[in-house]
Amino acid sequence: MAETTAGPLTAELGEFAAGLTFDAIPADLVTHMKRCVLDTVGCGVYGASLEWSRILRSTLLEVDGTGVGRLLGAEGLLSAPHSALVNGSAIHAFEIDDLHPRSIVHPGSVVLPAALAAADVRGGVTGRELVTALVAGYEVSARVGNSVGAAHLRQGYHPTATHGTIGAAVAAASILGLDADRTVHAMGIAGTQAAGLMAAQYSSMVKRFHAGRAAQSGVYGALLAANGYTGIDNLFEAEYGGYGPTMSPEYDDTELTRGLGETWESRLVGFKPYSTNGSCHPTIDALLAMREEHGLRPEMVGEIRIEASTATKAHVGWEYTPGSVTTAQMNLGYIAAAVLTDGDAFVRQFSPERIVDPELVSFAHRVHVAIAPDIDAEGDGGRHHTRIAVHLRDGRVLTDDRAFARGSSRRPMTEDELRAKFDKLTQDLVGAERSAALMSTIDDLDEAPSLDSLWSGMGGSALV
């Protein structure tokens, strides 16, 4: 392979990822990354049990039933790229995986499956090597997302599907021990595969597939680069066809490397207490507070008026028509109805039966979302800012104003809450004893001499 002549920004990201060591990662970030693994694995074990995950997995096992790539929550082996596809899709299968808010990337669903697939190829990977690769992938995917901002989402792209390819490539490259030049090419191979249309949110299974496809693209990038295949080595500098100018009308390339290795974007990754789009979470928090304080119930409500950003309006503020489970999880009207009825928005609220419930559908049409120019003026940092006015039938109006949701880095879930979420997602599938053992394994991940104990808990052999 010819020596790379990478652009300076692309080269700096490659050098960071290839040169990152476990000892360079702050201790608190190691702890946070293990929390990310815990949350991601819980999402993946649960997600692997769902219909759309089973269809994808069985289809690929029919055509690619050999390889070294192990599967979350299921028996069988696939090639490494296909195991990343299946596992990433399972992690993102129920809208409950971790989130970096500004980049709008769910990093766990793309970075962890890519790293695990690469580890199955290489063999002998330690827990510290996995944590290091994850931090590299989380950092790069977040910075790529920050550089194009919410304009990328407003344009109709799914950021996890696009930016996730590059984070996945970096994580896989780190596991494979690629040098900076080959890591640059891994990013360039992955970046040209970046794709994912947000129209998938309305009535399809395929949105779940986006994260897995990004993880797969990253694995392809790293494996090909390891064997001398070259990619776009000025991925972030090319004026024509480069990543930023192509992906967004608003692009700030200084976001790619500002504070790299000192300011850790991974620290800002939060966890979702609700299995819905993150833009809905401030509204859920507000309605739950009103439910507790005022005894608010659906029959008391005339209408709900919500003011939000343009991105939130486009993403979740459209009129609800029952379609797939994804449709309900991405719709603010349906979610408001479910929360006021049940007092939650987790798993039971999104069964095929509930999403067509006539009372919930009728209530959803009384929820109106409008764009607030002053919220848009806050920029991408205010993308989730939400003001809500609940107009009661007795003439009262209950109001709330929330800039950050529970579970975000500004209002983090407690350790107990995160562990309770993991239990809710895994215990019915693997049993309480095995769920607890898997949690303990992840707590000690940075001391693990191999990943075998991790796989013994989250692989198919653990299912009861």
Side-chain angles (χ1 to χ4, degrees), residues 11-277:
E12 189 171 348
L13 288 175
E15 289 163 3
F16 164 77
L20 184 65
T21 63
F22 181 84
D23 290 339
I25 302 170
D28 70 295
L29 183 53
V30 171
T31 298
H32 186 62
M33 193 52 56
K34 290 190 290 184
R35 299 179 87 220
C36 291
V37 173
L38 179 71
D39 190 70
T40 300
V41 168
C43 294
V45 169
Y46 176 76
S49 71
L50 300 174
E51 178 189 11
W52 35 94
S53 297
R54 294 197 304 270
I55 292 172
L56 176 61
R57 184 171 62 243
S58 63
T59 300
L60 292 180
L61 284 169
E62 288 174 3
V63 298
D64 176 25
T66 60
V68 296
R70 289 173 279 191
L71 304 177
L72 283 165
E75 299 285 0
L77 295 171
L78 290 170
S79 64
H82 274 165
S83 70
L85 170 59
V86 168
N87 291 335
S89 299
I91 293 164
H92 194 56
F94 214 69
E95 292 298 324
I96 205 163
D97 42 324
D98 65 8
L99 175 66
H100 182 272
R102 189 168 166 219
S103 68
I104 326 176
V105 171
H106 298 273
S109 63
V110 291
V111 173
L112 180 63
L116 290 174
D120 278 337
V121 170
R122 192 193 111 187
V125 174
T126 68
R128 290 192 173 198
E129 289 175 309
L130 178 63
V131 170
T132 304
L134 296 181
V135 172
Y138 271 58
E139 285 296 313
V140 171
S141 59
R143 289 170 176 278
V144 171
N146 288 351
S147 73
V148 298
H152 178 73
L153 173 70
R154 293 194 297 270
Q155 195 151 296
Y157 287 108
H158 183 189
T160 298
T162 51
H163 317 324
T165 61
I166 302 169
V170 160
S174 174
I175 290 291
L176 296 178
L178 302 193
D179 63 17
D181 284 352
R182 290 177 188 256
T183 300
V184 162
H185 285 294
M187 291 191 292
I189 297 165
T192 199
Q193 300 176 74
L197 302 176
M198 273 315 311
Q201 73 182 25
Y202 298 114
S203 59
S204 70
M205 295 178 179
V206 77
K207 181 178 182 290
R208 327 298 193 173
F209 175 87
H210 286 179
R213 189 67 181 84
Q216 180 189 42
S217 295
V219 173
Y220 279 139
L223 291 176
L224 288 167
N227 286 322
Y229 203 83
T230 60
I232 303 168
D233 64 3
N234 62 340
L235 182 64
F236 300 109
E237 291 83 8
E239 294 182 10
Y240 175 70
Y243 194 87
T246 303
M247 291 295 196
S248 178
E250 301 172 16
Y251 177 53
D252 180 2
D253 63 10
T254 65
E255 293 284 352
L256 292 165
T257 57
R258 182 186 296 125
L260 185 62
E262 297 177 358
T263 301
W264 299 93
E265 289 292 326
S266 305
R267 284 188 173 125
L268 304 181
V269 172
F271 308 106
K272 298 172 87 174
Y274 318 116
S275 56
T276 76
N277 178 274

Side-chain angles (χ1 to χ4, degrees), residues 387-399:
R387 285 193 292 267
I388 182 170
V390 181
H391 296 259
L392 304 184
R393 296 187 186 279
D394 64 9
R396 290 180 296 153
V397 180
L398 306 179
T399 62

